[in-house]
Amino acid sequence: MKKNKWVAVAGLSALVIATAVALGVNIDEIRSTSSEVIQFENYAGPHAIIESAEAITDIGRKLGRQIATNVNKSAVYGKNTKYAVIHSVTEGENNKLDADIILINDTASVDHITNLRRILIGYLTTAYGYETADASTIATFITVYNAVYRQNFDVFKAKYKSPVVENLTASQCGLSTKWSEWPGNTQIVVPLFDVNGGLSTVDTSVISDTNVIRSMREEDGLGVDERQNMVGIKEREASNFANQAQKAAEDAAEKNRQLAQQQEVSNQAQQTATKAQQAAQQAQKAADENPDDKKLQQRAEITKEAAERAQKTADEEKSKTEQQKQEAKEIEQVVTAAQNNADKKLAEAKKERTEIAKDQQKLLVQALAESSDRNAVVGLKMIEGDGQLTGLVKIDSTTGEIINESPVTVIRGRTIMPITVSDEDGENETTVSYMAICGEDNSSSNRAVRLCLLDAQTLELQAESKEIVSEDSILVRDKDDFYCVIRSGSNWVVGKYDADLNLLLKSSVSVRKDTPVTVTAKGVVATTSADQIVLLNLKDLKPITTLK
């Protein structure tokens, strides 16, 4: 049987999540960008003073409150205490980042990565207003980011503004994986995208770059939980940026309307000034030709003054126009920047969701493989009293003993189709469920015949088709497609399903409820309700030709 690489059988999403939770996500263990596996080494012995989680989080809150007093001004807080923050925000170098640098000073006693993250959570919630759940995700990524780039001074120099770099040292930048090296030797860099940006205060793109994600994927649980949380943050960021772009676009439209009006006023003022200048020139010419005519001399002076006033007005209106042009240009830049940010965050989220889905499948396959009984085989057994029905059983291949029996004892046609998933390399195949036609046709009760999926581990009913299936139908497989006879109104037709029990197609002609179904490269052969052989097109299940 060829490998079926789909994952989304009905109910499987829940199993993926449950499997990931069962395996756990070891957020205390990350790996470097090299082949060396590194772990955060936490102190595991007794403590002279045991502080509560709330007290530890409050350390970060106190630092954050100081920053919150003026997020737009650079400052140093807690310089002579156990924990300090260098808040570096400056103008210029727009292609580089501002940052907060969190220092763990010599007298600090934090000795576990969980507690360090608690401090960061407190700091993020009070300094920048993050919700606790988001702050927890960002704190995790900040620590991994700083561990990945520990002592990689060139990376920090390339990415951050000069004042940030001036406060870093090559031997202390980033976060060591050894708790004993934290005091007096730690500069945790928190990249700032916009200190007034709410959810986008910390640059999530930077702290979740390719190297960071690669490190998180090397955890036992592939870092799926935190990565999903980060994707959720980025999707909300994208929504916020899109709203900003929409609002700015509306402002830009209004500003352009005002600009058009102002341009008209400016043009009219210039036309008036031009006419006044022409009148002044004519008056001056007449005065020059008649130097003794006092009235002409006076008129020339008046028209000159009027022309100067008109030109001054025209210049003022032109200045207003140029100012409004600049304002309109700046608003357009806001629109473009916001939309670009929205597109960037969405693209990152989409890419990571795809990778997470692959990793979830990998976890699922691994969990199923680990939980599978390698000595077990699955088969059908006859149900006493009815020669048409069978039940699914799991048998120990070494002893012949029945390990498990399915509660579903109404499998028809004596046929089951294994639904499998393959690992990332496509080498190992694991059965996750079985497809079969199940049920009893009894119009006087609440019984029905439908296409069903039975869980490969529990042998219990996992999902069923929406459509009624003929009790006389056979189940036929063609790669990832499945065919059987289903009810359509008062007629019976050939139905084509995917492995999720989604109906993809149904034949346009009615067929016998007990028709054989033969799938060939040229089409599907069936018998119509008029007892004629018909060849159905594989693409739409419409008749290609009717055979006698």
Side-chain angles (χ1 to χ4, degrees), residues 444-456:
S444 62
S445 67
N446 192 30
R447 300 173 186 174
V449 178
R450 298 181 188 272
L451 198 57
C452 299
L453 286 175
L454 285 75
D455 186 270

Side-chain angles (χ1 to χ4, degrees), residues 266-315:
S266 179
N267 292 341
Q268 185 61 47
Q270 187 56 55
Q271 290 175 9
T272 301
T274 300
K275 291 179 180 179
Q277 183 63 37
Q278 292 172 348
Q281 291 173 352
Q282 292 175 355
Q284 186 61 51
K285 181 179 179 181
D288 291 343
E289 292 175 349
N290 300 280
D292 297 330
D293 190 329
K294 293 183 179 181
K295 288 184 178 182
L296 290 177
Q297 301 300 322
Q298 186 178 14
R299 181 182 177 188
E301 186 63 28
I302 292 172
T303 54
K304 179 182 178 182
E305 292 174 356
E308 290 174 348
R309 288 195 300 273
Q311 189 57 54
K312 181 180 179 181
T313 299
D315 291 342

Side-chain angles (χ1 to χ4, degrees), residues 4 88 111 238 259 310 326 378 419 479 542:
N4 179 22
S88 180
D111 55 16
L259 176 59
Q326 182 60 32
V378 173
I419 306 300
K479 298 179 181 177
K542 292 181 179 180

